[in-house]
């Protein structure tokens, strides 16, 4: 990713927030047979020192990636979207994209079946919790038995992030009045309506809620 100090994201807590809001990530490995990419949900370990994430892959992705034997790159994409120069109210202007992204690097630790089952349960609980009637893996004996069977078709892992490169490009080079017009356009009706991006911009620029 091209370095740009104006948009560099170095704050660990904000990096964690990107991971929280963007759990569906792309994992990439450079293997002896070429580059391998897969897509899986990741969960931030909130009580860990530094940045640590857990996930699982379906077999045989663990062999394709060489999990545990080499460095893994996991890409988390936060809010992003198109920004029209017509929203700026100034000239000259050109279109752009605003975005938050984290490239996290680390060598995964492969988990035991019991640890993997615990991670799967945490993932289910995390994504089910907002629902009015959350589905639990241990809701009954039959479901517990089923989960314990299918866990053998997956491989869980923990990745402690050794280093990361991140960007938070949110119109930092624009005057406040232009930022406000971009946020308003993203919040309003239209083909590029993007309240998630607008909220992220408001937070970064300290513009408060609409």
């Amino acid at each position: 990713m091209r370095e740009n100090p104006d948009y560099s994201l170095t704050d660990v807590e904000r990096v964690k927030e990107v991971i929280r809001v963007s759990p569906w990530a792309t994992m990439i490995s450079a293997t002896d047979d070429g580059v391998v990419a897969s897509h899986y949900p990741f969960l931030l370990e909130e009580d860990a020192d530094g940045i640590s994430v857990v996930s699982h892959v379906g077999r045989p992705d663990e062999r394709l990636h060489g999990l545990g034997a080499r460095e893994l790159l996991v890409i988390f994409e936060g809010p992003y979207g198109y920004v029209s120069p017509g929203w700026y109210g100034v000239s000259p202007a050109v279109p752009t994209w605003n975005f938050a992204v984290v490239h996290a690097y680390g060598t995964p630790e492969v988990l035991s079946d019991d640890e993997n089952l615990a991670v799967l349960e945490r993932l289910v609980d995390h994504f089910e919790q907002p629902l009015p009637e959350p589905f639990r893996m241990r809701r009954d004996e039959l479901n517990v038995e089923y989960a314990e069977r299918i866990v053998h078709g997956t491989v869980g892992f923990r990745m402690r992030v050794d280093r990361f490169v991140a960007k938070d490009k949110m119109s930092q080079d624009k005057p406040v009045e232009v930022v406000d017009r971009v946020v308003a356009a993203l919040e309003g009706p239209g083909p590029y309506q993007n309240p998630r991006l607008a909220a992220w911009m408001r937070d970064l620029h300290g513009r408060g809620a609409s």
Side-chain angles (χ1 to χ4, degrees):
M1 183 161 57
R2 184 172 67 90
E3 295 288 342
N4 187 327
D6 291 339
Y7 309 128
S8 180
L9 177 54
T10 58
D11 183 271
V12 171
E13 291 308 313
R14 197 157 180 90
V15 167
K16 288 181 177 181
E17 186 60 19
V18 173
I19 295 172
R20 288 188 192 103
V21 303
S22 309
W24 184 253
T26 302
M27 48 187 284
I28 301 172
S29 300
T31 74
D32 295 338
D33 297 320
V35 177
V36 177
S38 298
H39 310 273
Y40 286 98
F42 284 76
L43 199 60
L44 183 70
E45 293 196 292
E46 298 288 353
D47 58 350
D49 293 331
I51 303 174
S52 179
V53 294
V54 289
S55 186
H56 70 282
V57 298
R59 296 181 187 275
D61 271 7
E62 85 284 4
R63 294 202 304 272
L64 294 175
H65 282 274
L67 284 184
R70 52 170 56 91
E71 187 177 58
L72 183 69
L73 163 62
V74 184
I75 299 176
F76 298 93
E77 293 186 357
Y80 65 87
Y82 179 73
V83 176
S84 169
W87 301 340
Y88 290 171
V90 297
S91 186
V94 294
T96 190
W97 284 72
N98 278 357
F99 63 90
V101 67
V102 173
H103 291 190
Y105 299 84
T107 301
E109 165 199 354
V110 176
L111 303 177
S112 68
D113 281 349
D114 287 344
E115 291 172 314
N116 182 25
L117 185 58
V119 166
L120 288 172
E121 188 169 10
R122 285 173 57 194
L123 283 163
V124 171
D125 286 347
H126 177 78
F127 293 112
E128 285 288 323
Q129 191 56 45
L131 297 176
E133 296 182 14
F135 184 97
R136 304 301 184 189
M137 280 179 56
R138 298 182 184 275
R139 61 186 298 168
D140 53 46
E141 185 177 341
L142 185 61
N143 213 73
V144 170
E145 292 176 357
Y146 178 66
E148 290 176 348
R149 279 202 317 274
I150 66 168
V151 73
H152 298 293
T154 68
V155 174
F157 65 92
R158 168 178 291 107
M159 190 182 90
R160 292 182 172 85
V161 177
D162 298 324
R163 60 191 177 92
F164 65 83
V165 179
K167 274 187 180 180
D168 202 3
K169 179 182 177 295
M170 296 287 162
S171 301
Q172 291 95 323
D173 60 335
K174 301 293 186 262
V176 170
E177 59 272 17
V178 171
V179 170
D180 287 344
R181 284 194 287 268
V182 171
V183 169
L186 292 169
E187 290 175 336
Y192 294 112
Q193 184 181 55
N194 194 332
R196 187 165 173 248
L197 179 59
W200 195 270
M201 287 184 64
R202 281 188 178 279
D203 182 57
L204 179 67
H205 290 277
R207 304 306 291 162
S210 59

